[in-house]
Amino acid sequence: MNVILASTSTLFGGNYLEYLKDELFTLFSGIDEIIFIPFARPGGISHEEYTSKAKDFFAKLNINVKGLHEFADPIEAVNAAKGFFAGGGNTFLLVKTLHELGLMGILSENIKKGKPYLGCSAGSNIGGLNMKTTNDMPIVYPASFECMGLVPFNLNPHYLDPTPELKHNGETRETRIMEFLIQNKTKVIGLREGNWIRILNNKITTEGSEYTRIFEAGKAPYECPPGSSLL
Amino acid sequence: MNVILASTSTLFGGNYLEYLKDELFTLFSGIDEIIFIPFARPGGISHEEYTSKAKDFFAKLNINVKGLHEFADPIEAVNAAKGFFAGGGNTFLLVKTLHELGLMGILSENIKKGKPYLGCSAGSNIGGLNMKTTNDMPIVYPASFECMGLVPFNLNPHYLDPTPELKHNGETRETRIMEFLIQNKTKVIGLREGNWIRILNNKITTEGSEYTRIFEAGKAPYECPPGSSLL
């Protein structure tokens, strides 16, 4: 496989996908067109608006972008595509739409055959086994929480360390993930902004500027430096 | 009805339910025993541990507490109960368990007949129309997101204002609720810690120390002072 699952599309103070530009040259090397999956719709924007944002960025890499919503037969479109990018937004909305259109398995098969895939945030969540460690609000009810399983674990994108000065009683991200591990035995990768998971052939590594926090049932959470294998 | 739906059980630096003590005297006036619903299990603690925490507090009000998990027939127990308290934790776990046990409708009916009910956090979410505005992580998959509908709107407990100094690209609470309103037309009450919703007979008001932030489709969010009607 040839995959990037990024914590976020945009770093604080940066431009859309800018910090990943060199990586995306490599990921999509030799490819002149990809399909964008706009279904997570951040901020509720239209599929068209969201696709044109992706299109603007990928023009700099001489890659054309078509929105998956533009095709009358999205399954055929996924099977005919050369590569994919699933943007961030609301994971519940993304997963619901992919299940409704019968695309979750088809997309997974195409990526497992070697077609390059970029996911950001919600688009990265769907690379995991299921979406049970998303941060998103359950604004719609998906037919299932199951995802593509490109990696043998779950992701928590935008992983956030506790803010001790916050006088607030809501759960920290770590507490939430530890509660997940009481109910599930699946490993969780806490992916800080600036980091991504790279799948290349049979290797899965954590990359980027930050350490990655890993949560496993029955163990204390631990940190891995960039370049560490996640298998 | 005679209901309190509180944003949180515990204020920063305070003790469990302490800030609500006077209100709870009134809510449960004349009642010597309530049933505690421990299914949200904060931090993954056992139903027994969680129930004994509630029991310790209510002993100060001379009210005995029995955990709903202690009963062989929970439907019969709810129908025979004098009042209820549903504690916080994970809303997905709470809603899944209530649906599995066939309790969501039964509990709602008993409360609508006038039996007093206290909800905190997840226990307040289930007082809304559905759980689509919870902050919790979807660690389990409930059969449905539908809730008791004690109020004709949804709640967002632990409502949190944006933290501008946070260099993080995850969505703010307000952004998440605005995304909900693109997909749904249901009003959302952003309930800051220190606040609660009071249902007394046919009145529904927001109470406590903070203003309450209200979100409606097609309107800018707005603030209401304590004592405002929510109907």
Side-chain angles (χ1 to χ4, degrees):
Chain A
M1 280 192 277
N2 184 21
V3 169
I4 288 177
L5 305 174
S7 176
T8 183
S9 62
T10 313
L11 290 184
F12 185 83
N15 292 320
Y16 191 59
L17 293 173
E18 200 58 45
Y19 79 104
L20 279 172
K21 198 172 171 189
D22 291 347
E23 295 295 323
L24 298 182
F25 261 121
T26 312
L27 179 73
F28 292 119
S29 159
I31 284 183
D32 59 1
E33 187 171 275
I34 59 173
I35 281 187
F36 179 63
I37 302 165
F39 302 141
R41 297 180 61 181
I45 60 170
S46 71
H47 294 149
E48 289 72 23
E49 284 174 277
Y50 199 17
T51 301
S52 70
K53 191 176 171 183
K55 207 176 171 75
D56 287 350
F57 172 81
F58 277 97
K60 298 180 208 167
L61 310 189
N62 295 313
I63 295 173
N64 188 35
V65 170
K66 281 189 176 163
L68 187 48
H69 65 287
E70 297 167 26
F71 294 87
D73 185 339
I75 292 178
E76 195 180 281
V78 167
N79 285 330
K82 297 174 188 169
F84 309 97
F85 169 30
N90 185 285
T91 307
F92 289 86
L93 201 48
L94 176 59
V95 168
K96 178 173 186 276
T97 311
L98 289 175
H99 282 306
E100 274 173 0
L101 298 175
L103 285 173
M104 192 67 88
I106 304 287
L107 189 60
S108 174
E109 282 167 26
N110 275 272
I111 299 164
K112 285 176 179 167
K113 277 186 213 154
K115 292 184 186 177
Y117 175 82
L118 167 66
C120 290
S121 191
S124 297
N125 265 324
I126 63 168
L129 291 170
N130 59 58
M131 57 163 290
K132 291 182 182 174
T133 50
T134 177
N135 311 311
D136 294 337
M137 193 172 261
I139 62 174
V140 294
Y141 184 71
S144 158
F145 284 167
E146 296 308 301
C147 291
M148 296 196 289
L150 306 179
V151 289
F153 46 75
N154 269 8
L155 280 76
N156 180 255
H158 302 282
Y159 182 76
L160 192 59
D161 292 295
T163 313
E165 64 274 23
L166 197 64
K167 290 184 172 57
H168 187 258
N169 202 44
E171 295 87 348
T172 64
R173 191 68 56 79
E174 178 152 319
T175 301
R176 294 174 192 277
I177 296 173
M178 298 307 270
E179 289 181 0
F180 169 80
L181 286 177
I182 306 276
Q183 301 293 324
N184 304 268
K185 298 299 160 217
T186 307
K187 181 160 84 170
V188 182
I189 307 300
L191 207 58
R192 294 186 177 92
E193 294 184 358
N195 280 12
W196 60 92
I197 289 169
R198 184 75 170 103
I199 315 180
L200 191 57
N201 304 320
N202 298 319
K203 285 185 184 167
I204 305 179
T205 51
T206 166
E207 307 288 345
S209 56
E210 309 296 320
Y211 272 61
T212 292
R213 193 161 181 85
I214 301 185
F215 301 86
E216 292 185 69
K219 279 192 191 178
Y222 58 96
E223 298 275 335
C224 281
S228 300
S229 170
L230 292 175
L231 283 179
Chain B
M1 279 192 277
N2 183 20
V3 170
I4 288 178
L5 306 174
S7 175
T8 183
S9 61
T10 313
L11 290 183
F12 185 83
N15 292 318
Y16 191 60
L17 293 174
E18 199 58 44
Y19 79 104
L20 280 172
K21 199 172 169 186
D22 290 348
E23 295 296 323
L24 298 181
F25 261 119
T26 312
L27 179 72
F28 293 118
S29 157
I31 283 183
D32 59 2
E33 186 171 273
I34 59 173
I35 281 187
F36 179 62
I37 301 165
F39 301 141
R41 296 180 60 180
I45 61 170
S46 71
H47 295 149
E48 289 71 23
E49 284 174 278
Y50 199 17
T51 302
S52 70
K53 191 175 171 183
K55 207 176 171 76
D56 287 351
F57 172 81
F58 277 97
K60 298 180 210 167
L61 309 189
N62 294 314
I63 294 173
N64 188 36
V65 170
K66 281 189 178 165
L68 187 47
H69 65 287
E70 297 166 28
F71 294 86
D73 185 339
I75 291 178
E76 194 181 280
V78 167
N79 284 331
K82 297 175 189 168
F84 309 96
F85 169 29
N90 185 285
T91 307
F92 289 87
L93 201 47
L94 176 59
V95 168
K96 178 174 186 276
T97 310
L98 289 175
H99 282 307
E100 274 171 0
L101 298 175
L103 285 173
M104 192 68 88
I106 304 286
L107 189 59
S108 173
E109 282 167 27
N110 274 273
I111 299 164
K112 286 174 180 168
K113 275 187 217 156
K115 293 184 185 177
Y117 175 81
L118 167 65
C120 289
S121 191
S124 296
N125 265 323
I126 64 170
L129 291 170
N130 59 57
M131 58 163 289
K132 290 182 181 174
T133 49
T134 176
N135 311 309
D136 294 337
M137 192 171 263
I139 61 174
V140 295
Y141 184 72
S144 157
F145 284 168
E146 296 309 302
C147 291
M148 294 195 289
L150 305 180
V151 288
F153 47 74
N154 270 7
L155 280 76
N156 180 254
H158 301 282
Y159 181 76
L160 192 59
D161 292 294
T163 314
E165 64 274 22
L166 197 63
K167 290 184 173 55
H168 187 258
N169 203 44
E171 294 87 349
T172 64
R173 190 67 57 79
E174 177 151 320
T175 301
R176 295 173 191 277
I177 296 172
M178 298 307 270
E179 289 180 359
F180 168 81
L181 286 177
I182 305 277
Q183 302 294 324
N184 306 268
K185 299 297 160 219
T186 307
K187 181 159 84 169
V188 182
I189 306 301
L191 207 57
R192 295 187 176 91
E193 295 185 357
N195 279 14
W196 60 93
I197 288 169
R198 184 74 170 103
I199 314 179
L200 191 56
N201 304 320
N202 299 320
K203 286 187 184 166
I204 305 180
T205 51
T206 168
E207 306 288 345
S209 55
E210 310 295 320
Y211 272 61
T212 292
R213 193 160 181 85
I214 301 184
F215 301 85
E216 292 185 70
K219 278 193 192 178
Y222 57 95
E223 300 275 335
C224 281
S228 300
S229 170
L230 293 174
L231 283 180

